[in-house]
Amino acid sequence: MNSTKTYRSRISGTGSYLPEKVLTNHDLEKMVDTSHEWIMERTGIYARHIAADGEVTSDLSLKASQRALEAAGLTAQDVDMILVATASPDQPMPNTACILQHKLGARTCMSLDISAACSGFVYGLVVADQFVRTGAYKHVLVVGAEVLHPYVNYKERDTCILFGDAAGAVVLSRAEEDQDSEIYSFFLQGDGAIGDLFVLPAGGSALPFSKEVLENGQHYVRMKGREIFKHAVRTMSECCHEVLRAHNMPPSEVSWVIPHQANVRIIEAVAKHFGISMDKVVVEIEDMGNTSAATVVVALDKAVRDGRIQRGQNLLLTAFGAGITSGAILMRY
Ligand code: ACO
């Protein structure tokens, strides 16, 4: 490895996978006191995919990764590092990245989970970029994957309408001399002072599982929806502002914004803040809901595969999540 030379990274392939089972607003109407109209108007979500019994985060990751590798024209043997961004790992140990490495048949490479909730994929892509930039690794598999439904209380209407299961993956590769792709700038932050806005209380050292935990429903996610909404708009706007400023690029030069898909009104507010028209924003929330670390990468994959995103375009990725974590990446695709 040459310690002075640096390299540019390029997304060489993308892939995603949504489980077969679908839970629509009409299904939810039969489960809690809500309506299709309320959910559509307040969130923009119609359906969420739910993993089958026994279908775990590494299984979703595997399917998305295989598609990303195929799109990149690579095999599992080419992968130098695996990062899995997830808030819903298969289990606390071993990490999901190692499980994926084995299922994928990849070499015994560095395999790491990234825990940054819904910002996890954006965090992971930045981590991968550092290894490609220095020349340490040539192809890094970055996955955003969640099986969230076990952490959702389907008796609580404020949370159960939001979340779904999904996985997306990219291969981040070293760009060749004649390829002009590049990660121009990134900005990541974490603010633990407002960490209580979105929590999964039990299952860690603070509150190990017990009979009481189950009785009190502390194994389910809890959130302050209205507060999160406000901070989501603020933090994603801040992060986007920072990456544009760092590269001296006006919002008008952004070809596509790919934001975390938590609520369509949050996305609209961020776009409005930058004067970016909604037809330059990739919105895939209607058919998948909030899939946490998977949303940005699944939306990216869908827009690449249907031809909206083309080589040479400027992409602005942004996300926020529990922590509160947030981030943005400005790149030439
Ligand atoms: N159906 C019908 N009514 C409902 C429902 C529902 N599913 N949920 C809440 N309501 C009611 C409330 O009880 C409230 O009634 P009240 O006025 O009588 O008290 C009313 O609707 C308005 O509630 P609000 O919470 O003010 O509604 P809001 O417009 O803020 O929408 C929502 C709620 C959709 C949760 C919104 O705040 C939101 O999306 N917040 C962000 C949530 C989020 O992104 N969470 C994850 C963040 S971290 C991560 O992504 C992992």
Side-chain angles (χ1 to χ4, degrees), residues 144 155 181:
K155 290 184 177 144
S181 305

Side-chain angles (χ1 to χ4, degrees), residues 34 38 42-43 118 157 223 225-226 260 262-263 265 290:
T34 191
W38 191 97
R42 300 290 179 119
T43 69
C118 308
R157 66 179 183 175
M223 66 170 198
R226 225 176 293 181
H260 175 44
N263 181 318
R265 292 184 296 137
N290 182 347

Side-chain angles (χ1 to χ4, degrees), residues 32-36 38-39 41-43 45 87 116-119 146 148 156-163 197-198 221 223-230 232 260-266 290-293 295 320-324:
V32 287
D33 179 17
T34 191
S35 69
H36 165 64
W38 191 97
I39 302 172
E41 190 194 314
R42 300 290 179 119
T43 69
I45 300 169
C118 308
S119 309
E146 304 284 5
L148 289 172
E156 276 182 7
R157 66 179 183 175
D158 57 334
T159 48
C160 76
I161 59 159
L162 299 175
F163 299 102
L197 297 184
F198 190 88
V221 291
M223 66 170 198
K224 297 178 182 164
R226 225 176 293 181
E227 284 291 292
I228 291 176
F229 193 110
K230 212 171 57 190
H260 175 44
Q261 322 267 315
N263 181 318
V264 75
R265 292 184 296 137
I266 294 174
N290 182 347
T291 60
S292 189
T295 70
F320 77 97
I324 294 294

